[in-house]
Amino acid sequence: MTPARPHLVWDWNGTLLNDLDLVVTATNAAFASVGGPAVTADEHRVRFRRPIADYYAGVLGRAVDDAAFGELDRIFHDAYRSGLTTCALADDAAAAMAAWPGSQSLLSMWFHDELVPAVHSYGLTGRFARVDGLRATVGGDRKAGSLAEHLSGLGLDGRAVVLIGDSIDDADAAESVGGRAVLYTGGFTDAARLRDSGHPVADTLTEAVALAAALR
């Protein structure tokens, strides 16, 4: 049976890819470079938000301008790359993707030129109608604009779309194009924050797919 919203957009980091521990390690490398405090995974999940410069500023207790964020982002990504081979897909990622009855695509705020070969290395290239990452040299911004471009490339109206992701920003992006979101508690954001958002929330990706298929 085709869902009312037949296209599913997956988030990558913190959703299909289980990389929370690596992200926290890389974030702490960035903070340490400017004498900042270390955060635990739980603290990261409570405080993480986009734009990421705002998250960094909150932890560091001072403003983070574009130049400062660019350097922190570089340090983060250098540390992230060094540990990427340690990351696996979420436990039920394969089952969840197989359970979706419509079309699927992948949109990440990780750099496009690194995302595409990574997706291939996990054997997922043929799974998605389109794979898009960030086509910029510095990350950290909101997802809404990238989602609009992603759907334009697919020739899809946002009203046909459900996005499964792990952050409030994912839900904001989906709403910005007329879509819906299901939020996953296994990623970068504290479950209580996700539930407080009012969007459907799932503790597993297979549950998220089931919720997405039932959305109107």
Side-chain angles (χ1 to χ4, degrees), residues 42-136:
D42 285 344
E43 289 168 339
H44 178 87
R45 283 162 55 84
V46 168
R47 303 185 73 168
F48 177 78
R49 63 187 184 277
R50 287 182 178 273
I52 295 176
D54 291 351
Y55 165 47
Y56 286 2
V59 173
L60 296 173
R62 58 182 182 271
V64 176
D65 63 19
D66 289 348
F69 179 73
E71 180 62 12
L72 291 168
D73 191 62
R74 182 191 65 77
I75 293 167
F76 169 90
H77 281 100
D78 285 348
Y80 182 87
R81 291 181 187 102
S82 71
L84 183 57
T85 57
T86 67
C87 295
L89 296 178
D91 289 343
D92 63 340
M97 288 183 282
W100 178 252
S103 56
Q104 304 177 61
S105 61
L106 177 66
L107 175 63
S108 174
M109 298 304 285
W110 188 31
F111 300 120
H112 182 80
D113 290 345
E114 297 178 68
L115 172 69
V116 171
V119 169
H120 180 74
S121 74
Y122 288 96
L124 299 178
T125 301
R127 173 66 70 180
F128 305 114
R130 187 179 179 94
V131 174
D132 280 317
L134 185 67
R135 289 173 171 83

